[in-house]
Amino acid sequence: MPRRLWPPAIGVAYVAVIGALGGLHAGNVALGALCLLDAYNPNTRRFLRVFWPFIATGALYDSLRFCLDPVTTGRIHVTGPYLLDRAWFGTGTHTLNEVFATHHWVIADLATGFAYLIYVAEYLAFAMLAYFAGHVTRARSFARGFLLVNAMGFVTYLLYPAAPPWYVAAHGLGPALTGSAPSPGAAARFDALLGTRVFDDMYHHSVDVFGAIPSLHAAYPVMAAVLAFRTRELGWARWPAAGYAVLMCFSAVYLQHHYVIDVLLGLGYGAVAVTAVLAWERRRPAPVL
């Protein structure tokens, strides 16, 4: 297998740039090291050729921490999304998030908490199952769709930063408090029930507090479900994936992380992304790996 310098060089350059900017952590090194898959053997090179969009997405998400504050300070929307959601989808005096803040159940806390933990893993698992089942073209569409929907979401976070429901519950409808700490919202009930710190630790490392619109939590599962229905090798997972997508949409609202409008926009973003990658797939011949 001919060796190539540029894939590992990209990984080294990424780690070097993050180190120069400050805030280098083990996750950055791990992302950069994944570029070494190109040099290990032909199988890992083929794997990297298909799955590199997932790596790129991780790098893009982490890099948001360098630009979010300077770009969004003074432009964060707190009142607008709340009033719009209350008028369109609320009870007239409360949003559904506020209703669920006072009406919640142990079984729902557990089900929604578990759903929130696996939303990325579910999507990645479907992509890998398609890949190892021999449907490389579809696995590539999973990967491209993931990068595309996240890129669309990240741009929206910068253009229209919006406070999530848990922020409004904690800080009110006044001007946004920049530098606010991330919160697990009502997912903290999951940790309290099981005596864990899973969500507390996970959101402690969150990059973006004011990234409620769109809900990518809703986008990933609906994309996974659509692609599962289009993939023969995932036939067994079609209806479970559809059910999980419905549960995730409910979870996003129930756990105080998104308004209904955020979820609907997330579904729209997911629909655009999956339509685009399937159209690309139809126009392009199957890759020779």
Side-chain angles (χ1 to χ4, degrees), residues 78-261:
V78 179
T79 304
Y82 171 85
L83 294 178
L84 181 64
D85 196 78
R86 190 179 69 181
W88 285 12
F89 304 106
T91 64
T93 56
H94 296 87
T95 64
L96 288 181
N97 309 95
E98 291 169 324
V99 172
F100 289 133
T102 55
H103 298 81
H104 51 84
W105 311 272
V106 169
I107 187 64
D109 292 341
L110 293 173
T112 56
F114 179 74
Y116 239 58
L117 284 176
I118 66 169
Y119 76 110
V120 175
E122 184 236 14
Y123 191 96
L124 181 59
F126 278 14
M128 288 191 172
L129 287 169
Y131 178 83
F132 288 113
H135 202 329
V136 175
T137 299
R138 185 54 46 81
R140 191 185 291 269
S141 291
F142 268 101
R144 287 172 172 164
F146 192 76
L147 177 57
L148 177 58
V149 77
N150 277 283
M152 294 164 59
F154 297 164
V155 170
T156 306
Y157 295 166
L158 295 171
L159 296 178
Y160 192 88
W166 65 258
Y167 175 89
V168 172
H171 303 289
L173 294 171
L177 303 173
T178 55
S180 298
S183 168
R189 295 197 297 262
F190 179 92
D191 279 346
L193 286 168
L194 299 182
T196 65
R197 292 179 52 87
V198 174
F199 281 103
D200 189 59
D201 291 340
M202 183 168 68
Y203 279 94
H204 176 73
H205 298 289
S206 178
V207 170
D208 188 11
V209 171
F210 301 107
I213 296 177
S215 171
L216 295 179
H217 284 86
Y220 299 168
V222 76
M223 291 173 64
V226 171
L227 289 169
F229 272 91
R230 300 291 297 269
T231 307
R232 179 174 55 81
E233 292 82 356
L234 296 175
W236 58 271
R238 291 169 181 172
W239 289 109
Y244 175 70
V246 173
L247 175 60
M248 177 55 74
C249 291
F250 171 74
S251 302
V253 177
Y254 181 81
L255 295 177
Q256 315 293 317
H257 283 269
H258 292 283
Y259 295 114
V260 176
I261 190 68

Side-chain angles (χ1 to χ4, degrees), residues 263-282:
V263 170
L264 294 177
L265 286 170
L267 295 177
Y269 276 50
V272 169
V274 77
T275 299
V277 296
L278 287 175
W280 176 268
E281 180 183 302
R282 288 191 298 269

